[in-house]
Amino acid sequence: PPGTVPWTKGAGNDPYLTGIDGAPDNDTLEMLVGHFRDDSGEFYTMVQNVRHAHGDFPVNRTDQGTVRISFDFSNAPANLDRSKVLSLNKLTGQVENIYLTYRSGNAGFLDVKLAAGDPFLFKYATGASFALR
């Protein structure tokens, strides 16, 4: 849409995200990305598959897509759990641990399957609670 810009590393002042792309088997996925901070200063990111039945090309599809979210925790503080992110399950409202796949050292990624229109909201595992209110 007009006024949107492609996501780039450093967007939203997120210190650890290095990439948000369609996974290798799905590089044409259109996504919407938002960065947020709660009242305690915790980072949150939401990624949404913007495909939907009534959209214009290329989002006029109802199939799921896979997004690859890449991280580099080289400069993360000791209290950050580098093995996972916390995500809010949209069906149950429960906070879940979502474990990352590691390439090497402090670089990892997460492949998330999203149905048409579905969001994925996550925050880093800093030990602080997920803001639910």
Side-chain angles (χ1 to χ4, degrees):
T4 59
V5 296
W7 184 90
T8 58
K9 182 179 175 182
N13 295 316
D14 188 297
Y16 312 118
L17 275 174
T18 59
I20 301 177
D21 302 293
D25 61 340
N26 198 1
D27 61 357
T28 60
L29 180 63
E30 294 285 329
M31 296 164 283
L32 183 63
V33 178
H35 299 280
F36 314 92
R37 281 188 183 254
D38 68 13
D39 291 340
S40 300
E42 293 288 306
F43 281 97
Y44 292 77
T45 299
M46 186 176 78
V47 179
Q48 182 180 18
N49 175 352
V50 297
R51 293 176 177 169
H52 58 95
H54 304 291
D56 292 328
F57 180 82
V59 299
N60 61 338
R61 299 168 51 178
T62 58
D63 53 332
Q64 79 175 8
T66 302
V67 59
R68 175 162 287 178
I69 305 169
S70 301
F71 305 91
D72 182 354
F73 295 115
S74 296
N75 297 319
N79 70 321
L80 185 94
D81 184 341
R82 295 166 169 85
S83 69
K84 65 185 179 185
V85 295
L86 304 179
S87 180
L88 188 62
N89 183 304
K90 72 179 186 108
L91 299 176
T92 67
Q94 298 298 308
V95 176
E96 299 177 341
N97 294 317
I98 309 295
Y99 290 91
L100 307 179
T101 301
Y102 272 84
R103 294 184 179 129
S104 64
N106 290 306
F109 68 91
L110 179 61
D111 285 345
V112 180
K113 292 185 188 302
L114 297 172
D118 272 357
F120 175 67
L121 176 66
F122 71 91
K123 75 175 281 302
Y124 299 111
T126 62
S129 299
F130 204 104
L132 297 175
R133 294 176 196 210

